Amino acid sequence: MLRFLTAGESHGKGLVVVVEGLPAGLAITEAEIQGELARRRLGYGRGPRMRFEADAITLLTGIRHGRTLGSPIAIEILNSEWEKKWEEEMSPHPGTPSKVLTQPRPGHADLTGMLKYGFEDARDVLERASARETAARVAAGSLAKALLAQLGVEVLSHVTQLGSVELTLDVPLPTGRDLERIDESSVRCVSSEVEALMVAEIKAAAKVGDSLGGACEVIAHGVPVGLGSHVHWDRRIDGMIAQALMSIQAIKAVAIGDGVEVSHRRGSEAHDAIYWNEDSGEYYRTTDRAGGIEGGMTTGAPLTATAWMKPLASLNRPTLATVDTKSKESVVSFKERTDVTAVPAMGVVAESMVAIVLASESLRKFGGDSVAELVRNHESFKKHLHETPSAIS
Ligand code: EPS
């Protein structure tokens, strides 16, 4: 099992992530982690911060000469504006902030967090609620991806909706070979036609100081058969993936495979028929409506999950009514620097969350204190996979 914890505020000194449970002997480079963090900064519609934030990392623990030790891995990501802008406002030492935010933004954690924790300053809530934290998740996700690569699993994503623009073209399911092209697209969309419409939609929203939501599909190819289990509610892998994706800031809906569409169909048109290939000695299917999961277990078919993001609640031109928590007057919320949309970046975060679930469940199923042992166990399972249960020795 893989566990991770993040710590850090958006404008604090930095973020820290601790990843526990990775086996020993996994090759990891700083450049690999930096590469994933750079992918998360992509996307037309991000605010100014993404242009100067470098996500400079320090590998603090758990890696020696480019290989994991099996001990906890801690990674630090420093915030680049700390010294020049935030050191006083976010100081951990006793003192008072120069400005108290008392006009909570509707749709954010601000007001409920103030009430729940007894804070007078919305900044005490928003700093941790911010999606800046997803940089730490992506650092953890890059380790999970490196582990999955040892099992032949690759995880990618693409944007399928931005505001009112949807990718409705019947495009083949993207694979790792398409990833470079997707990342080169300014909105991480596989179709350049649809990309142009999405960019126009972002420009129009930016012009009036508004924000946009959308959706990304995460795809995992090469997933082993049998991750997750039907035996308990909390071992069903679709539930784990839904929770992992829903936990990303501003995600409001998740579907596995054709989850929403199949609810409109009859059963005879909703499932994936099973066939046997005499030559290869393997079961196969010609459709993947189930998104690679049946009965809470991975089937070995590509795993697909879509996450929908609401429009960001921080608006460059706040218009929604709120209440000043001190004077109780009706006002518009305070203004924070923000993105128009973060949907393209969300796909990279969603990949990380799915990778962490798949890596964790791979470790649960195959075990191993070293990567070599994990890979051996996986190979052995695959060798016996298509034999009848009674023949498994
Ligand atoms: C965010 C607001 C913006 C985004 C930030 C998330 O930050 P700032 O207020 O500093 O301009 O840029 O995203 C990141 C910093 C990041 O790394 O993704 C928010 O309120 O959620």
Side-chain angles (χ1 to χ4, degrees):
M1 298 266 293
L2 199 61
R3 296 186 294 165
F4 79 102
L5 267 184
T6 73
E9 280 74 40
S10 181
H11 305 103
K13 190 165 185 182
L15 300 165
V16 175
V17 60
V18 178
V19 180
E20 199 264 339
L22 275 178
L26 181 65
I28 296 283
T29 63
E30 201 172 281
E32 253 173 283
I33 305 169
Q34 289 284 11
E36 285 296 296
L37 289 169
R39 291 182 64 231
R40 196 197 63 96
R41 295 195 300 272
L42 294 173
Y44 189 76
R46 296 305 306 270
R49 183 163 174 189
M50 287 302 93
R51 286 195 286 279
F52 59 73
E53 194 63 74
D55 292 336
I57 61 168
T58 307
L59 304 181
L60 293 174
T61 70
I63 302 174
R64 182 164 185 248
H65 299 308
R67 291 195 178 266
T68 57
L69 298 172
S71 53
I73 295 174
I75 302 172
E76 178 189 64
I77 311 171
L78 292 178
N79 287 327
S80 60
E81 289 183 299
W82 167 254
E83 269 134 17
K84 61 175 188 282
K85 210 168 154 203
W86 293 98
E87 195 166 356
E88 258 177 55
E89 204 61 21
M90 292 298 293
S91 170
H93 306 299
T96 46
S98 64
K99 193 172 157 215
V100 176
L101 303 177
T102 56
Q103 298 166 351
R105 297 159 300 170
H108 253 289
D110 301 351
L111 179 60
T112 312
M114 290 166 91
L115 296 172
K116 177 174 165 70
Y117 289 89
F119 292 141
E120 284 172 11
D121 185 353
R123 184 164 301 287
D124 289 335
V125 184
L126 73 87
E127 284 290 337
R128 179 62 183 162
S130 161
R132 172 72 189 143
E133 186 256 353
T134 61
R137 299 194 195 202
V138 168
S142 67
L143 304 179
K145 282 182 180 179
L147 185 76
L148 290 172
Q150 298 294 319
L151 304 177
V153 182
E154 59 181 7
V155 186
L156 66 145
S157 68
H158 64 128
V159 171
T160 54
Q161 185 202 328
L162 219 154
S164 64
V165 182
E166 278 184 73
L167 178 74
T168 47
L169 307 172
D170 200 10
V171 291
L173 198 62
T175 69
R177 283 189 297 281
D178 302 304
L179 193 55
E180 210 176 300
R181 190 164 58 89
I182 293 169
D183 284 349
E184 273 168 12
S185 154
S186 58
V187 286
R188 307 196 61 254
C189 179
V190 287
S191 153
S192 48
E193 261 166 77
V194 181
E195 173 189 7
L197 298 174
M198 288 176 173
V199 169
E201 179 100 340
I202 298 169
K203 281 185 179 160
K207 215 168 164 183
V208 292
D210 221 327
S211 64
L212 293 172
C216 295
E217 182 183 42
V218 181
I219 305 142
H221 292 280
V223 178
V225 175
L227 303 186
S229 174
H230 62 296
V231 302
H232 280 298
W233 69 270
D234 58 350
R235 289 197 55 197
R236 289 179 175 263
I237 201 160
D238 35 9
M240 293 180 207
I241 288 171
Q243 202 274 329
L245 290 175
M246 193 66 106
S247 76
I248 301 169
Q249 293 82 342
I251 298 302
K252 290 289 133 194
V254 175
I256 305 287
D258 294 353
V260 177
E261 290 104 289
V262 292
S263 67
H264 299 282
R265 296 186 208 143
R266 291 190 174 178
S268 56
E269 288 164 8
H271 302 288
D272 305 306
I274 303 168
Y275 305 97
W276 176 251
N277 183 329
E278 276 295 341
D279 299 333
S280 65
E282 285 176 35
Y283 300 101
Y284 72 95
R285 305 167 198 246
T286 54
T287 54
D288 186 21
R289 293 155 171 159
I293 300 175
E294 279 179 341
M297 293 172 280
T298 53
T299 63
L303 189 147
T304 58
T306 302
W308 282 267
M309 190 179 207
K310 68 179 181 180
L312 299 173
S314 296
L315 302 179
N316 275 315
R317 204 172 292 162
T319 49
L320 289 169
T322 186
V323 172
D324 187 300
T325 52
K326 210 163 172 208
S327 69
K328 304 294 186 275
E329 275 166 354
S330 183
V331 288
V332 290
S333 70
F334 61 82
K335 190 174 166 309
E336 276 280 294
R337 181 180 63 185
T338 184
D339 310 316
V340 178
T341 187
V343 172
M346 180 272 278
V348 179
V349 180
E351 287 173 23
S352 295
M353 294 308 292
V354 169
I356 288 162
V357 172
L358 294 178
S360 182
E361 286 305 300
S362 297
L363 286 165
R364 169 138 64 173
K365 171 139 182 66
F366 303 114
D369 293 305
S370 66
V371 171
E373 189 180 359
L374 172 75
V375 170
R376 263 197 324 269
N377 294 348
H378 177 230
E379 287 303 319
S380 157
F381 174 72
K382 277 201 302 191
K383 202 168 143 231
H384 296 288
L385 196 57
H386 301 289
E387 295 171 12
T388 54
S390 58
I392 296 176
S393 52

